[in-house]
Each structure stands twice: as structure tokens, then as C-alpha cells.
Amino acid sequence: MNQKGIYATLMALLICTGVFAQVKSDDEYNATAPKKDKPKKDYNFKEHLVYGGNVGLQLSNRGTFIRLNPMVGYKLTSWMASGVGFNYTYYGNGTNSYSYYGPSVWTRIRPFPFMYLHTEYNYLHASYYNGGIPVWLVGGGLIARGQFASLSA
């Protein structure tokens, strides 16, 4: 191989090496180039809120039972939520009537998509008792998820 052939081969190798060392965008190394902003995901507080509770009504010849327990909470993570609620329970049977009411604080975790563990602290006031009654509940359940709501038992 003559001197021109060796020179041409070396130049071809250098050009190919330079091509492999190229980056897709010069913006990474050019400090004066405007930086492309990644689209920022807006934080939406409402997307993290959860609502729930229960309602109970029983009417019979033995008495009337009414229960209202609205709850609102905030998803701290994808598997944990915590919040507050209010409890109201009434029972009356023509002769006597009793009612309980008060705030609650709760936390619920979901170790698996189909299961939850729940703890709740209530501070109830009773119509027949002068003072507060602390109540701590611990439990869990299974979840059947629908399109718009879930049912737990």
C-alpha cells in the first residue's frame, strides 16, 4: 500500500471514530443554548382527596336507629391515606333516646390492592354522659373496585 492509501485509510478511521463520538444534541454541552424545559406536572390537590363514610337507617317497632359518618382524607402515598371525620349516632325507642357525636381522625393503608387496614380515633360525646368518651378502632377489610366507587367489607 502506498503512502496515499495509508493516509486515506487513517483519515477514514478518524472520521468514523468522530461519528461514533457524536451526541444526539449539542444542547447538552453548549452552555449558551437555551435549555429545553421538561413539561412540569402541575400539582392538583383535589386529585389526592378521598371521600367516604357510611350512612345507616333502621326503622322498626322496637325503635329508630340513625347513623351518619362522613369522612374526608388525603392520599399521602399511593398506598396510604389519612383524614378526619364526624360521627353521629341516634337510637330512640319511644321511651328512651340516646345520641353520640364527635370528631374522628383516621389512617388507612393498603398493603395489597384488594385489602386495607384501618385505624381510627374517635372522641365522642353522649347525651346521657357529661364528658367525652375516647374510642380507638382497629380493623381491616377487602375491596371490590368498580368504575366510580369501591365497596369494602
Side-chain angles (χ1 to χ4, degrees), residues 120-131:
E120 184 174 340
Y121 179 79
N122 297 286
Y123 193 74
L124 302 175
H125 299 277
S127 60
Y128 59 87
Y129 182 73
N130 191 11

Side-chain angles (χ1 to χ4, degrees), residues 18-46:
V19 170
F20 289 125
Q22 298 280 324
V23 293
K24 291 183 178 180
S25 171
D26 289 334
D27 292 343
E28 295 178 35
Y29 300 104
N30 189 353
T32 60
K35 297 204 179 207
K36 295 179 183 174
D37 291 333
K38 293 180 181 177
K40 291 184 180 180
K41 187 176 181 183
D42 290 335
Y43 178 76
N44 190 345
F45 180 78
K46 290 183 182 181

